[in-house]
Amino acid sequence: SAVISQKPSRDICQRGTSLTIQCQVDSQVTMMFWYRQQPGQSLTLIATANQGSEATYESGFVIDKFPISRPNLTFSTLTVSNMSPEDSSIYLCSGSTSGNYNEQFFGPGTRLTVL
Amino acid sequence: AQTVTQSQPEMSVQEAETVTLSCTYDTSESNYYLFWYKQPPSRQMILVIRQEAYKQQNATENRFSVNFQKAAKSFSLKISDSQLGDTAMYFCAFMKGGGTSYGKLTFGQGTILTVHP
């Protein structure tokens, strides 16, 4: 198993600013993902964070709005750029290990409020 | 594309009783996995139970079991001897078994379960 931590756990930001969320795993994971959970809603996959290359984005999400980095097998960041109140959500990262992709571990999430 | 549907926005149960949460899904894939995740107020997503589509036997984990009906594309979760700590949002999720989408989860809308003392 893997333990995933996220920073910050919550933040309140002003419209038009950007926030970078960090995701740290206590062991190497092959795959890392970023999800968004809007208030009272389900989780929606934003992108797959690829180590050493550009992230793979799902339909409706673009790199300019949600730039993602993954410099190694234990760390990733998600930036929410030029924020608007519609970006108020919980952002979660997850990871899974090689050979066991069907077991995915989640971080505790970052609750973002945009005023 | 896959879709996952949970038709029960909210459920409640008395402590020690049994409750069943419903989930249906739509896919043209033959190789896939199904999951139930629990999200308590702490927001931490916790894997409750997992089912491989190629397995006919229903998965069980202590008080949690599933009724997997592959032909009907149904995947319900039964919680026996409900406990106060089971109070949470429960999500049904789908994952393809291979290809470029391997590892990506598609979630249902969630069911809020409240266990009453």
Side-chain angles (χ1 to χ4, degrees):
Chain A
S1 65
V3 177
I4 300 179
S5 59
Q6 288 183 231
K7 288 182 183 179
S9 61
R10 59 176 61 217
D11 208 341
I12 301 174
C13 300
Q14 295 297 318
R15 182 196 297 261
T17 62
S18 298
L19 176 72
T20 295
I21 302 168
Q22 298 179 5
C23 177
Q24 179 73 55
V25 191
D26 69 343
S27 59
Q28 293 186 347
V29 290
T30 306
M31 305 187 78
M32 292 183 75
F33 303 93
W34 285 96
Y35 290 85
R36 180 175 73 181
Q37 186 177 22
Q38 294 177 302
Q41 305 286 319
S42 183
L43 284 76
T44 300
L45 180 64
I46 297 172
T48 304
N50 300 310
Q51 191 224 344
S53 64
E54 193 171 286
T56 305
Y57 290 85
E58 298 300 306
S59 176
F61 298 96
V62 295
I63 187 172
D64 289 346
K65 177 67 176 177
F66 298 102
I68 289 170
S69 77
R70 189 180 172 193
N72 56 53
L73 290 176
T74 63
F75 185 78
S76 177
T77 66
L78 167 75
T79 298
V80 185
S81 302
N82 188 24
M83 288 184 284
S84 66
E86 292 71 36
D87 295 319
S88 297
S89 295
I90 297 171
Y91 293 86
L92 300 100
C93 71
S94 71
S96 58
T97 56
S98 175
N100 201 15
Y101 297 131
N102 58 61
E103 184 160 12
Q104 202 162 123
F105 306 97
F106 282 83
T110 295
R111 182 183 294 275
L112 170 62
T113 302
V114 184
L115 303 177
Chain B
Q2 287 66 233
T3 59
V4 179
T5 303
Q6 294 178 246
S7 58
Q8 304 156 315
E10 295 187 42
M11 295 280 285
S12 63
V13 64
Q14 292 296 125
E15 198 174 7
E17 294 188 346
T18 296
V19 63
T20 298
L21 307 185
S22 301
C23 173
T24 58
Y25 60 95
D26 189 24
T27 185
S28 58
E29 302 289 329
S30 58
N31 181 20
Y32 54 89
Y33 300 89
L34 295 164
F35 306 84
W36 280 97
Y37 278 89
K38 167 185 176 181
Q39 187 181 41
S42 67
R43 301 200 309 261
Q44 181 70 56
M45 292 285 285
I46 301 166
L47 177 63
V48 175
I49 200 165
R50 170 179 53 212
Q51 175 80 42
E52 292 89 342
Y54 63 85
K55 289 187 176 179
Q56 293 186 337
Q57 186 173 8
N58 289 325
T60 61
E61 287 287 342
N62 301 313
R63 298 183 294 108
F64 300 88
S65 62
V66 299
N67 183 6
F68 175 45
Q69 301 290 325
K70 191 172 183 179
K73 295 180 180 174
S74 170
F75 183 61
S76 61
L77 173 70
K78 185 172 82 171
I79 306 174
S80 304
D81 187 24
S82 297
Q83 301 175 358
L84 296 178
D86 295 334
T87 293
M89 174 83 91
Y90 286 80
F91 291 100
C92 179
F94 173 100
M95 180 192 295
K96 281 187 185 179
T100 56
S101 293
Y102 195 25
K104 298 180 182 180
L105 289 165
T106 300
F107 287 89
Q109 303 93 321
T111 297
I112 299 172
L113 175 67
T114 303
V115 181
H116 297 286

